[in-house]
Amino acid sequence: MASVKVLLEGKDFKLTQARKALLDIFVNSTKPLSYEDIKSTLSMDKATFYRNITKFEEQKIINAIESHDKKRYFEIKAKSHAHFICTTCNSVECIKNGIYVTLKNYTISNVILQGICPTCNLANDKN
Amino acid sequence: MASVKVLLEGKDFKLTQARKALLDIFVNSTKPLSYEDIKSTLSMDKATFYRNITKFEEQKIINAIESHDKKRYFEIKAKSHAHFICTTCNSVECIKNGIYVTLKNYTISNVILQGICPTCNLANDKN
DNA sequence: TCTTAAATGCAACTGAGTCGCATCAAATAG
DNA sequence: CTATTTGATGCGACTCAGTTGCATTTAAGA
Ligand SMILES: [Mn+2]
Ligand SMILES: [Mn+2]
Ligand SMILES: [Zn+2]
Ligand SMILES: [Zn+2]
């Protein structure tokens, strides 16, 4: 888990309270988060949130995943890995057990799996 | 390529002009299409378009892919296959050369690959 | 042909994300 | 430590894909 300080070294932008608080949340999360997910724990205007996310993406500090619920989910950029999106509960999970896909002439930068997560699968079995 | 007639057999809804025209477009497309893609070739209100798409999804005639451009792309439901979304030109392609991904305890219904398509890769190389 | 339930078009709405602008606060020079 | 500057913030207005309510039309079938 990278520290906020290390992430910001040598980046050319101001170290504001908002940015430190934002990165702190992402550094301590095990899964990608949307603005919706964190707006209550973070008093920050959504314009500021999204502008900072854009900066972080430019600086390759943060990564975005588009879910099927029309929201974007963000995470600290780490070793490339796939993501699973549950179409029942909308959760987004990191899948770090090596899934590699290649395709001739294509450059693949992201693999997204959609389906039903273990929790929702279990809940379904009970009915 | 399934015919429109076959697709509609035994489905419990009215066979309107709009629905026939809509399915005709999808049956003759090699790639998923958005409302944006077809609105000029089809004189149909967008409310009607989306309501019919919803019906078709319920009847398992049509399949949706959410792109990263915040639009939904639709195709006739066929044998399950992966999709490639180009983050440069936003095109959505069907990948029918068997890509299979499984994950213990998860039900995977869709595989989406994001990256750069051959066309955009070539264009990039020239610069 | 008549009846009726479902489908359509239109306009108003929703909700995630963006933008312009006035104000504020990091960074840095004095 | 204070003053200046420039980028960051908050707010409200806006965008745009998709949705909804409602009055009108049309497919189906009696
Ligand atoms: Mn991840
Ligand atoms: Mn396809
Ligand atoms: Zn789930
Ligand atoms: Zn492309």
Side-chain angles (χ1 to χ4, degrees):
Chain A
M1 180 153 64
S3 83
V4 173
K5 260 191 190 170
V6 170
L7 286 171
L8 294 170
E9 264 162 19
K11 299 297 189 289
D12 64 343
F13 51 64
K14 290 185 183 172
L15 239 337
T16 62
Q17 295 306 316
R19 284 176 182 163
K20 278 184 264 182
L22 233 194
L23 283 177
D24 209 58
I25 287 177
F26 285 114
V27 158
N28 291 300
S29 174
T30 55
K31 60 180 218 291
L33 302 169
S34 67
Y35 170 66
E36 193 71 19
D37 289 334
I38 65 174
K39 69 173 177 186
S40 56
T41 47
L42 197 64
S43 71
M44 182 186 303
D45 190 75
K46 65 178 174 163
T48 305
F49 174 89
Y50 286 113
R51 279 188 285 232
N52 279 329
I53 290 286
T54 303
K55 274 259 163 190
F56 292 151
E57 287 183 290
E58 283 166 13
Q59 308 280 333
K60 319 269 189 209
I61 291 174
I62 268 193
N63 215 355
I65 296 110
E66 346 280 322
S67 181
H68 71 292
D69 61 2
K70 297 192 193 78
K71 292 188 208 157
R72 303 183 76 212
Y73 288 74
F74 310 98
E75 66 178 353
I76 299 288
K77 208 177 180 76
K79 182 164 164 288
S80 170
H81 55 272
H83 290 94
F84 182 88
I85 298 173
C86 179
T87 52
T88 300
C89 70
N90 289 333
S91 72
V92 181
E93 293 176 42
C94 303
I95 304 296
K96 305 216 170 178
N97 343 339
I99 289 173
Y100 302 107
V101 183
T102 56
L103 209 54
K104 197 164 255 177
N105 299 320
Y106 291 77
T107 304
I108 295 180
S109 53
N110 254 305
V111 176
I112 296 172
L113 311 173
Q114 296 186 342
I116 304 172
C117 76
T119 309
C120 290
N121 257 335
L122 275 174
N124 239 15
D125 288 349
K126 283 179 187 159
N127 302 342
Chain B
M1 180 153 64
S3 81
V4 173
K5 261 191 188 169
V6 170
L7 285 171
L8 294 170
E9 263 163 21
K11 298 297 190 290
D12 64 344
F13 51 65
K14 290 187 186 173
L15 239 337
T16 62
Q17 295 307 317
R19 283 176 183 163
K20 278 184 263 182
L22 234 193
L23 283 177
D24 209 59
I25 286 176
F26 285 115
V27 159
N28 291 300
S29 174
T30 56
K31 62 181 217 289
L33 302 170
S34 68
Y35 170 66
E36 193 71 17
D37 289 333
I38 65 174
K39 70 173 175 185
S40 56
T41 47
L42 198 65
S43 71
M44 182 186 304
D45 190 74
K46 65 178 174 166
T48 305
F49 173 90
Y50 286 114
R51 278 188 287 231
N52 278 329
I53 290 285
T54 302
K55 272 261 162 186
F56 291 151
E57 286 183 290
E58 283 165 13
Q59 307 281 335
K60 319 270 189 209
I61 291 174
I62 268 193
N63 216 356
I65 296 111
E66 345 280 323
S67 183
H68 72 290
D69 61 1
K70 298 192 191 79
K71 292 189 209 158
R72 303 183 76 214
Y73 287 76
F74 310 98
E75 66 178 352
I76 300 288
K77 208 179 181 74
K79 183 162 164 287
S80 169
H81 56 272
H83 290 95
F84 181 89
I85 296 174
C86 179
T87 52
T88 300
C89 70
N90 289 333
S91 72
V92 180
E93 293 177 43
C94 304
I95 304 296
K96 305 216 169 178
N97 342 340
I99 288 173
Y100 302 107
V101 182
T102 56
L103 210 54
K104 196 164 253 178
N105 299 321
Y106 291 77
T107 305
I108 294 179
S109 52
N110 254 304
V111 176
I112 295 171
L113 311 173
Q114 295 185 343
I116 305 172
C117 76
T119 309
C120 291
N121 257 333
L122 274 175
N124 240 13
D125 288 348
K126 283 181 188 158
N127 303 343

